[in-house]
Amino acid sequence: MLVLLPPSEGKAASGRGAPLKPESLSLPGLAEARAAVLDELVELCTADEEKAREVLGLSEGLRGEITKNVELRTAGTRPAGEIYTGVLYDALDLASLDAAAKRRAGKSLLVFSGLWGAVRVGDRIPTYRCSMGVKLPGLGALGAYWRDPMARVMPQAAGDGLVLDLRSSAYTAAWKPKGEVAQRTASVRVLHSQLVDGVEKRSVVSHFNKATKGRMVRDLLVSGARPKGPAELVETLRGLGYVVEAEAPARAGRAWSLDVVVTEIH
């Protein structure tokens, strides 16, 4: 099983470990594309702080994020699973997993990134600020920039098992499963169900959507479940106590759509 995750806007401070070693990152087929984004991002943030703030969409209060990008090549690093914070990662709580679940996380979790393309949670990276929605002056919109490199490496990364896609829309732009891979891909959204004047109303709540996805991934890792495809994933999640509604694709070569329905927000 390969689980595709979004990163988090907020990130922990860079660690005290050795500086970035690009050659050590997973998915080495992305090395050239990563180097191009890294070069332009560092150059932009070094040369013109005001332009960098505009390009990165940062408020005045976040001006300090630009310095982090300037220091990307020299800052300390820590595992990506520690760098990414926020609601989903708080709920996932990688640090508290037992050894077996941590090994499964290292093999199955892939975090998409505007800067790196995608990294595994064990890859050592510095903290940075560069979302997939950024449009760099030289490379253009990163969602579009990453499509060709990701199309070359992701089918191999996906292997022959289930692909569980929990990315937000900005990050799905970088890679959309096609053909045979799509047929074993399940895209999940979380819906909050509540009764309003006796009528059920469903809505997407961003904060809770992320928290539920984090808990769901954690439960799958702890259980050791290995669903081989979307249909088996549905049964696995139901066995873990989730209310799941599934929609098989109408045509071959399309991903499954799964709705996880919740009644309590926490």
Side-chain angles (χ1 to χ4, degrees):
M1 177 174 66
L2 181 67
V3 182
L4 310 181
L5 297 174
S8 58
E9 286 295 330
K11 299 175 182 67
S14 294
R16 296 181 179 179
L20 175 70
K21 296 179 180 178
E23 69 278 5
S24 71
L25 299 179
S26 302
L27 306 183
L30 298 178
E32 184 177 346
R34 285 170 176 152
V37 179
L38 179 63
D39 286 347
E40 182 167 355
L41 184 61
V42 172
E43 181 179 353
L44 170 68
C45 293
T46 302
D48 191 333
E49 185 175 290
E50 199 58 39
K51 182 177 181 180
R53 189 167 71 87
E54 180 182 344
V55 169
L56 297 175
L58 300 176
S59 66
E60 180 64 36
L62 292 174
R63 185 180 289 272
E65 298 291 287
I66 297 171
T67 302
K68 296 177 182 178
N69 289 344
V70 171
E71 299 172 348
L72 279 169
R73 293 193 179 94
T74 58
T77 59
R78 61 200 301 181
E82 297 178 12
I83 289 288
Y84 296 117
T85 59
V87 177
L88 188 153
Y89 292 90
D90 285 346
L92 175 54
D93 196 8
L94 288 168
S96 69
L97 292 174
D98 63 35
K102 284 181 179 177
R103 286 194 296 271
R104 288 190 282 270
K107 294 178 180 178
S108 63
L109 304 188
L110 195 65
V111 185
F112 273 59
S113 162
L115 173 54
W116 314 114
V119 292
R120 296 195 184 277
V121 292
D123 288 342
R124 299 191 67 91
I125 59 174
T127 191
Y128 66 97
R129 189 67 175 238
C130 184
S131 72
M132 192 66 79
V134 164
K135 184 176 182 180
L136 292 175
L139 297 177
L142 291 177
Y145 170 80
W146 281 110
R147 284 174 196 157
D148 285 346
M150 298 301 287
R152 290 193 292 270
V153 305
M154 283 304 298
Q156 181 178 358
D160 58 4
L162 168 71
V163 178
L164 175 54
D165 191 352
L166 302 178
R167 297 173 295 165
S168 53
S169 58
Y171 291 88
T172 60
W175 182 65
K176 295 182 180 180
K178 296 181 179 179
E180 185 272 334
V181 178
Q183 293 177 190
R184 47 188 170 84
T185 297
S187 179
V188 175
R189 66 176 180 172
V190 179
L191 298 178
H192 176 222
S193 172
Q194 57 184 329
L195 290 177
V196 179
D197 296 329
V199 178
E200 184 192 25
K201 301 289 185 180
R202 292 183 175 183
S203 60
V204 176
V205 183
S206 178
H207 180 282
F208 188 64
N209 171 59
K210 296 173 183 177
T212 300
K213 287 179 177 179
R215 285 191 291 270
M216 184 172 63
V217 174
R218 180 182 178 85
D219 288 344
L220 287 168
L221 293 172
V222 170
S223 72
R226 296 182 179 180
K228 297 179 180 179
E232 191 172 328
L233 172 66
V234 171
E235 296 308 312
T236 299
L237 290 175
R238 287 172 177 167
L240 291 171
Y242 292 90
V243 176
V244 183
E245 297 177 356
E247 182 180 341
R251 291 185 292 173
R254 299 289 182 90
W256 283 56
S257 297
L258 273 60
D259 286 342
V260 175
V261 183
V262 298
T263 57
E264 296 181 0
I265 296 181
H266 59 87

